[in-house]
Amino acid sequence: MKTLTVTVSENGQQIAQFEIASESNVADIWKAIEPLRTDKAVPVPIKVGRKYSRLAQAFSQLTDTDTQLSFTQIEDWLGERLPSSAREHRAWWANDPSHAQARAWMTPGWRSQDVDLASETLRFRRHQE
């Protein structure tokens, strides 16, 4: 069996990745994903896990295009305290869809930026397609 891994990136950020396993040869697999290679591709939603579903719901209800939030506000949305790594490592806030928390803001169309660990604030901007 052959496996083709497809990674979708935008502005240098990985936004999706999937694998296609097939008994077919590579040319047949490539033909099967032809719709993904055109401007007619339909994005597949990224699943948000239960732990961060409340956060995703809160982001989906925002109407602004830019918002600054405190870690405390995000904890209020979550209904629980952020893990210590969120306060210690800027990477926790990266726009990386392989991280469950990032899918919570990326799926409804937001991207994190301007993380300030000292003041426990960061900005989110609605992503323009």
Side-chain angles (χ1 to χ4, degrees):
M1 183 165 301
K2 296 170 183 67
T3 302
L4 176 67
T5 302
V6 178
T7 302
V8 181
S9 299
E10 185 172 60
N11 298 327
Q13 295 287 329
Q14 179 179 324
I15 59 173
Q17 185 173 26
F18 57 94
E19 292 185 350
I20 301 169
S22 175
E23 295 291 337
S24 303
N25 62 40
V26 173
D28 289 341
I29 294 172
W30 192 247
K31 184 177 179 181
I33 65 166
E34 177 67 30
L36 298 175
R37 300 179 337 181
T38 69
D39 60 355
K40 297 175 186 163
V42 177
V44 176
I46 299 171
K47 184 178 179 184
V48 176
R50 184 172 49 180
K51 180 174 183 175
Y52 293 104
S53 62
R54 290 179 59 186
L55 185 59
Q57 182 178 4
F59 273 103
S60 67
Q61 293 174 353
L62 292 176
T63 57
D64 294 334
T65 58
D66 188 85
T67 188
Q68 182 160 337
L69 297 170
S70 69
F71 291 6
T72 303
Q73 288 172 295
I74 292 170
E75 288 173 331
D76 288 345
W77 286 353
L78 277 173
E80 63 183 73
R81 189 152 170 78
L82 287 166
S84 59
S85 57
R87 288 183 160 78
E88 297 168 4
H89 305 287
R90 186 177 317 282
W92 194 91
W93 299 100
N95 297 309
D96 181 346
S98 70
H99 297 162
Q101 71 274 12
R103 289 192 301 270
W105 60 76
M106 293 179 72
T107 299
W110 292 86
R111 300 297 183 268
S112 65
Q113 58 186 51
D114 302 329
V115 179
D116 186 339
L117 296 177
S119 69
E120 296 191 349
T121 60
L122 72 157
R123 180 168 305 283
F124 288 90
R125 182 159 297 188
R126 191 174 296 276
H127 181 71
Q128 301 299 318
E129 294 295 324

